Amino acid sequence: MMDFPEYRHCTLCPRQCGVDRTSGRRGFCGEGASLHLADVEAHFGEEPPLVGTQGSGTVFLTGCSCGCFFCQNYQLSTEHLGEFWEVKPLAERLLALAERGVRNINLVTPDHFWPHLKAVLQEVRNAGCDLPVIWNSGGYSARQTLLDALENGVEIFLPDFKYATAELARECMGREDYPQVALEGLELLVDRVGFLRPFDSTGEMAANRGVLVRHLVLPGETANSLAVLELLARRFGPMLPLSVMRQFRPMPQCQERGRFTRMVTDQEYQEVMEQVRRLGFQRVFFQPESGDANFVPDFRQKEAPFRGNALARLSRQKPEQ
């Protein structure tokens, strides 16, 4: 078993909890010092240039440093479903996916397990695999962790920008510093790797470098979405690639809190889209429907947590008519 001293006084995420995760204690992320994940597969639920015809080689890690109560992946972020892996088996699994033609290696919520993942990527590179690596995160990342990712082979960054105000961030994840941290992190990434390229809405060309920002519209919070878009336009201009998502679905804690207990309405999403057009954004992925329910995961189904992936693979196996 490999030893990672970074876990002994953990400062991998902006919460800087300083917990010795090697002692059996858990950080805010809810995880110790053993690599914990729930799924590794060719995933078809990302934007077209990241998926293509064979999917994205995606690792769904357990735990999270954001802790948003409405998280679609709450089974990982709060229930901590998953299994423990070592570095070499995960590298071998990713190499097998690469042999099958996935477009990239996609690390979902990687911050709190970055020491392990860096070692995994080294194994993958040593084996001759040069697929681009995606840092797929909630946008709440420590600067030093991002710098280390940039220096160790991560080429594509897919951060969320969730909240424009400290008040909404505090309500949803218990931290007021999210807007500042997310903006500073995004500025760093755009400065180092630029915007996602190539930006191909058809998915025919594979993206290989740069930043694509995601924003999830929340029910009853269109003012937040309008403010996020205004902030991004003012800082990065209209060529910043965006994915404006409407896939929100109420999760168990939403019902418990009596907050975000419904879907986003057509009127709410249209209002956000009008802001996108008003600000002149040129490279935007829209989600006019309420997302594909087949990509709402159930990680208790260990063999196939995403029904949409199984359907996508099946459709690609059918002979052309």
Side-chain angles (χ1 to χ4, degrees):
M1 181 181 297
M2 300 178 72
D3 178 52
F4 299 99
E6 296 94 332
Y7 296 133
R8 292 178 187 161
H9 181 80
C10 190
T11 58
L12 290 167
C13 87
R15 292 182 185 267
Q16 304 284 289
C17 65
V19 168
D20 182 359
R21 291 166 58 186
T22 68
S23 69
R25 297 177 62 199
R26 298 177 183 273
F28 174 88
C29 61
E31 294 298 320
S34 297
L35 182 60
H36 199 190
L37 56 99
D39 190 40
V40 187
E41 65 174 308
H43 185 54
F44 293 86
E46 313 289 25
E47 288 76 9
L50 304 176
V51 172
T53 60
Q54 301 303 316
S56 175
T58 307
V59 182
F60 286 92
L61 295 141
T62 302
C64 181
S65 58
C66 283
C68 303
F69 73 84
F70 56 79
C71 181
Q72 179 175 282
N73 290 344
Y74 72 93
Q75 292 174 326
L76 306 187
S77 60
T78 61
E79 295 185 354
H80 298 277
L81 299 185
E83 298 179 350
F84 295 104
W85 286 61
E86 297 294 336
V87 166
K88 286 186 179 294
L90 180 54
E92 290 168 358
R93 172 67 173 152
L94 291 172
L95 289 168
L97 288 174
E99 285 290 323
R100 298 178 195 174
V102 295
R103 276 197 166 173
N104 43 59
I105 294 171
N106 186 352
L107 308 175
V108 181
T109 61
D111 305 64
H112 57 295
F113 281 125
W114 174 238
H116 276 95
L117 297 171
K118 181 164 58 171
V120 169
L121 295 180
Q122 186 62 55
E123 293 276 344
V124 169
R125 295 295 187 234
N126 289 344
C129 176
D130 62 356
L131 287 178
V133 177
I134 301 175
W135 185 275
N136 187 338
S137 77
Y140 191 64
S141 296
R143 180 179 179 85
Q144 188 55 50
T145 303
L146 290 178
L147 287 170
D148 203 38
L150 285 161
E151 293 170 3
N152 285 277
V154 179
E155 294 98 340
I156 298 174
F157 290 84
L158 192 59
D160 292 334
F161 204 108
K162 299 173 183 286
Y163 317 115
T165 68
E167 292 75 19
L168 187 58
R170 181 178 64 247
E171 178 188 1
C172 294
M173 60 180 284
R175 296 285 288 195
E176 295 185 351
D177 63 345
Y178 178 93
Q180 177 183 350
V181 170
L183 182 59
E184 291 176 353
L186 188 53
E187 288 173 340
L188 170 67
L189 297 175
V190 170
D191 180 64
R192 296 298 180 92
V193 298
F195 297 156
L196 186 73
R197 56 194 183 275
F199 185 90
D200 176 21
S201 59
T202 71
E204 293 181 6
M205 293 189 292
N208 53 49
R209 189 171 176 81
V211 175
L212 169 67
V213 179
R214 285 173 164 173
H215 174 70
L216 176 66
V217 180
L218 295 171
E221 290 290 346
T222 53
N224 175 63
S225 295
L226 301 184
V228 165
L229 292 167
E230 176 70 33
L231 175 63
L232 294 176
R234 185 169 64 250
R235 176 59 187 87
F236 302 102
M239 300 308 290
L240 175 72
L242 294 176
S243 181
V244 183
M245 301 182 295
R246 188 188 166 175
Q247 66 193 47
F248 178 86
R249 295 172 185 272
M251 294 295 130
Q253 283 198 37
C254 297
Q255 303 298 337
E256 292 171 12
R257 295 187 181 212
R259 188 75 161 102
F260 304 145
T261 57
R262 62 170 174 82
M263 308 279 275
V264 173
T265 66
D266 290 342
Q267 181 177 350
E268 287 173 326
Y269 192 73
Q270 182 60 35
E271 185 179 351
V272 176
M273 289 300 94
E274 289 174 0
Q275 176 81 322
V276 169
R277 289 187 283 271
R278 185 161 54 247
L279 293 170
F281 284 106
Q282 301 295 307
R283 301 171 179 173
V284 186
F285 292 108
F286 300 108
Q287 199 173 37
E289 304 300 327
S290 296
D292 185 344
N294 289 315
F295 283 102
V296 178
D298 182 0
F299 290 102
R300 291 186 175 85
Q301 305 298 321
K302 295 182 180 180
E303 298 303 317
F306 292 90
R307 187 168 181 267
N309 287 334
L311 292 173
R313 286 190 290 269
L314 182 63
S315 69
R316 284 157 176 76
Q317 292 171 1
K318 292 180 179 179
E320 295 185 1
Q321 300 298 320

